[in-house]
Structure formats: C-alpha cells, structure tokens
Amino acid sequence: MRQLRIDGERLWQSLMELARIGATAKGGVRRLTLTDVDREARQLFARWARDAGLALEVDGVGNMFARRGGTDPAAAPVAMGSHLDSQPSGGKFDGAYGVMAGLEVLRTLNDAGIKTRAPLEVVSWTNEEGSRFTPVMMGSGVFAGVFPLAHVLAQKDVDGIAVGEALKAIGYAGSAAPRRLGAYFEAHIEQGPVLEDTNTTIGVVQGALGQRWFDAVITGQDAHAGPTPMDLRKDALLAASRLVLEVNRIARAFPDYARGTVGFMQVKPNSRNVVPGEVRMSVEFRNQNDDTLSEMVAALRGSLKAIAAECRVAIALDEVTHFPPCQFDAAMVGSVRDAAAALGYTHRDIVSGAGHDAVYVARVAPAAMIFVPCEGGISHNEIESAAPQDLAAGCNVLLYAVLARAA
Ligand SMILES: [Zn+2]
C-alpha cells in the first residue's frame, strides 16, 4: 500500500488535453461557464469518467458527480473535485486541477484493484468563477443550501440569458437528487506566493479568510486649485489617501492573516487644477478570525471621524458583503497533513485568501483543501503555471487522504 502512487504523467496529459478546450493564444483558457466550450470540457470529463467505469449524475444546477462504488453502499461518498469553468482570461490549472486530480485518484485505484468501503465521487461544480453569472461558487452554493435553486436559475448574463436556459442549451440541466457527502477534498493551486516563497510543496489548508467589503463615498467640495488656500480646502482625495494608509496600517497591525485593500477609486472631477470634491472607493478587510475582523472594521470606523474632521469632508462607509471565515474540519485537515508527512513532502499550514467551492461544501460536509505552488503565485491569468511534479505530489496527498477517509 505504501508504494501506491498516482500517475503524474497521465495527470499532466489530462490537464493539457483539457486545456485545449477554450485555449487562448497566450497559453491560458477562456472557458466561461455554461458556454459551448464549457459543454465540451464537461463532455470530455464525462467520457473519461465513463472510461474509468464511473456512474455519472448531474443535478439541477449542472453539478456533475462521477461515482465509483464502495463495498458499503450505505456509506456516504467521499468526494473530490473543483470546477471546469475559468475566468475570461484564465489559466490551465485553476479548478481543472482539482477535477483532474480526483479523476486520477480513481484511475489509480482502478489500476491497483483497490476497493474502498465508502463510494468515491469526483465532482465538477458549476460556475465557480462567477464571471458570466453571479453569484460566484454558484453550484457548490446551491448544493450547500446557501442559494435557492430557483433563484440561481433565474440569474441572467449581460445578454439576458438565464442560467436555467444556458443549462438546457448545453444539455446539463440534470435532475439528480440532493445527496449527502461523507467528506470532501479539494486540490487546488495556491493562487498566491507563499508556498513558492518558502520552498514548500504542499499547503495544508486550515480554512479560508472571512471577508468584509465596503463602499466608501467621501464628499468635500470642488474648488479652484489656485485661489483656494490649503487650510480652506475640502479635499476628498486627501481624505481618501489617508483612508488608504489607514487600511494598510490596520491590516499590518492585526494578527490572524489580516489583509486590507483599496482596489477601486473614482475621483471627481478628476481635473488637474481642481481640488477633488468627491471620491468613491472600495475598502475590503480579510481575516481568519471573525472577532479580529470586527476589530479591524471598528478600528477603521474609529479613525474616520478624525480624517473627516481634519480634511473637512464627510465620509460614508457602507458594508456591501460579509463572508464569515471558514475553518475546515480538524480531522480532515489532519488527514491531509498526515498524508503529506507520510509521503515525505515538505508541507506547511496555510490559509486560503480566496473563496473556493470547498468553503461552501464545508457547511454541509467535513471538508479540507490541498494547495500546491503556482509559478510566481500568479492565477486568474493566462500565464498561470504549475510544475508537473508539484501537481503530482498534491494528487498523491489527495489519494492518501481519501483512502484514510474511505478505506
Ligand atoms: Zn478555482
């Protein structure tokens, strides 16, 4: 049993063949959810699943479940997966890796003639990326009961096409009954720089950061840049600048993987010789601990008054999104760590700064994730890249973690 390993070459070839569907000139993929290229990718996955002797089911939001039976049919399945859709200019590995790694685990068990007690499933979740239809993580969200199916089916893209219509058009409006998963593992590229920076092969993912997003509107007064003395200005951009510094200061001052970002800003009237009278900007904080996240928000609110007074402006801060932090199941995380250690891979605990299907699935089943490095930490980009040996290592960890759970 200790010698059992996945076939890294077969995994790589599958990823490369899949990446031809929706391939872009710069080496990435454009595979928006529920389009013809998404259908092609789904059909390829379905063909490979059939070839591996798996039974395929599709549910009402188009999630695909490819099942390998266990010796105890009453046992809840141990599932692996991720997503096959991509960003408009996405990479070959984001999502695709988790689905192909799951398939490779089942191919390996087939080759070795190993039966498990619990059934095993590979899941491809619909519309993780959220670029054609919102919300993001749609399929796993419906599965976990976060969004009602009818609500999601009515969501429209910019051309007015609804999710329900698009599902029917590509032939993936299924009817599989809701199922209970005994466990869910998701292998994914890190999409950040930590593993590469620390020369680590496997990230043992503890959970995902909670997120609080705000829209800020700062109102001052447009004024001529020449005749208006510094003391008499109501400069909205000066206040915005101080807010940016404050967000950065707070994120650096707090523990638990704190992040603080201002990524969007609109300046009015945006003219060289006018003191800016209005700024609209985004503010977001992330943290692994919901209480710490609240303290960060309180710290920001606490400094707003002083900034507003000193800059003689009004600042309105509206919360638009609050995702609570996700802590993965301790025993599941332990089986990932044990597998990495037993296989002799360098590994470290890590948190996900981004959302993933596993975050929603974790609300209804014990879940965990396995991260592998990606070059330069770059993702959501056509140049996204990962090393074959790292992808194989993550897949071996997936294999042993799944066996620990299902054997
Ligand atoms: Zn992804």
Side-chain angles (χ1 to χ4, degrees):
M1 194 75 162
R2 275 287 149 218
Q3 287 311 307
L4 186 66
R5 294 290 185 276
I6 62 95
D7 183 339
E9 177 62 22
R10 180 170 56 189
L11 171 65
W12 181 257
Q13 289 308 329
S14 298
L15 280 164
M16 293 306 108
E17 192 172 337
L18 182 62
R20 287 209 285 267
I21 302 173
T24 62
K26 289 181 191 158
V29 296
R30 177 188 174 87
R31 207 158 54 222
L32 295 184
T33 193
L34 309 184
T35 56
D36 286 338
V37 284
D38 184 23
R39 166 168 44 194
E40 255 187 85
R42 286 164 177 266
Q43 285 173 340
L44 182 60
F45 171 55
R47 175 158 68 77
W48 282 338
R50 264 197 314 277
D51 291 349
L54 311 178
L56 192 70
E57 285 188 53
V58 179
D59 72 7
V61 69
N63 294 324
M64 300 170 71
F65 301 85
R67 184 183 181 96
R68 183 179 190 264
T71 55
D72 176 3
V78 173
M80 304 163 275
S82 197
H83 56 97
L84 294 176
D85 68 318
S86 84
Q87 287 286 323
S89 53
K92 295 190 280 288
F93 304 99
D94 176 3
Y97 172 54
V99 181
M100 291 300 104
L103 184 64
E104 176 55 36
V105 164
L106 298 193
R107 287 168 164 171
T108 300
L109 294 177
N110 284 350
D111 291 349
I114 293 173
K115 285 200 160 54
T116 55
R117 184 185 60 78
L120 304 181
E121 292 191 349
V122 183
V123 191
S124 171
W125 305 105
T126 293
N127 186 25
E128 192 272 347
E129 297 289 1
S131 32
R132 181 180 175 197
F133 297 104
T134 57
V136 298
M137 304 184 287
M138 178 181 275
S140 52
V142 169
F143 180 82
V146 179
F147 316 119
L149 177 61
H151 167 79
V152 153
L153 294 180
Q155 295 300 304
K156 290 183 174 160
D157 68 5
V158 289
D159 299 319
I161 299 170
V163 169
E165 294 170 62
L167 274 169
K168 282 185 193 136
I170 66 161
Y172 278 88
S175 57
R179 68 226 295 118
R180 190 173 70 82
L181 298 181
Y184 175 73
F185 290 99
E186 184 164 344
H188 208 284
I189 56 168
E190 182 198 346
Q191 302 184 288
V194 175
L195 294 177
E196 186 182 75
D197 188 57
T198 55
N199 258 312
T200 309
T201 304
I202 300 295
V204 180
V205 188
Q206 308 296 299
L209 301 183
Q211 308 181 25
R212 291 182 71 170
W213 299 0
F214 299 86
D215 284 342
V217 180
I218 303 173
T219 309
Q221 191 164 57
D222 299 1
H224 196 302
T228 318
M230 302 311 285
D231 284 349
L232 299 180
R233 296 180 176 204
K234 298 177 175 177
D235 186 337
L237 183 54
L238 179 66
S241 307
R242 293 194 47 186
L243 203 55
V244 172
L245 294 174
E246 188 61 7
V247 167
N248 186 266
R249 184 195 67 76
I250 290 168
R252 287 170 171 278
F254 280 83
D256 306 321
Y257 304 96
R259 318 260 198 257
T261 306
V262 174
F264 167 88
M265 192 181 281
Q266 260 179 346
V267 181
K268 279 186 190 166
N270 216 14
S271 172
R272 181 185 301 269
N273 47 24
V274 180
V275 176
E278 185 187 282
V279 171
R280 291 175 179 271
M281 60 196 279
S282 65
V283 174
E284 62 145 77
F285 284 129
R286 302 188 187 212
N287 201 286
Q288 202 194 6
N289 180 309
D290 213 33
D291 292 337
T292 315
L293 194 52
S294 299
E295 287 170 35
M296 293 169 73
V297 173
L300 182 68
R301 287 199 187 281
S303 43
L304 286 186
K305 254 190 203 146
I307 295 174
E310 285 164 32
C311 301
R312 307 170 75 229
V313 299
I315 304 176
L317 190 69
D318 274 339
E319 182 153 12
V320 290
T321 299
H322 182 181
F323 288 114
C326 159
Q327 297 282 355
F328 288 137
D329 181 86
M332 291 282 289
V333 173
S335 42
V336 171
R337 191 185 294 109
D338 292 349
L343 288 156
Y345 298 131
T346 53
H347 57 94
R348 63 182 289 136
D349 289 358
I350 193 169
V351 294
S352 174
H356 290 288
D357 292 310
V359 171
Y360 280 153
V361 178
R363 298 190 185 187
V364 290
M369 292 188 78
I370 301 158
F371 276 177
V372 296
C374 55
E375 198 181 317
I378 292 169
S379 182
H380 284 189
N381 188 320
E382 291 167 81
I383 64 166
E384 180 185 277
S385 180
Q389 67 272 20
D390 291 338
L391 297 167
C395 191
N396 274 317
V397 172
L398 181 65
L399 170 69
Y400 279 92
V402 162
L403 283 177
R405 199 77 195 187

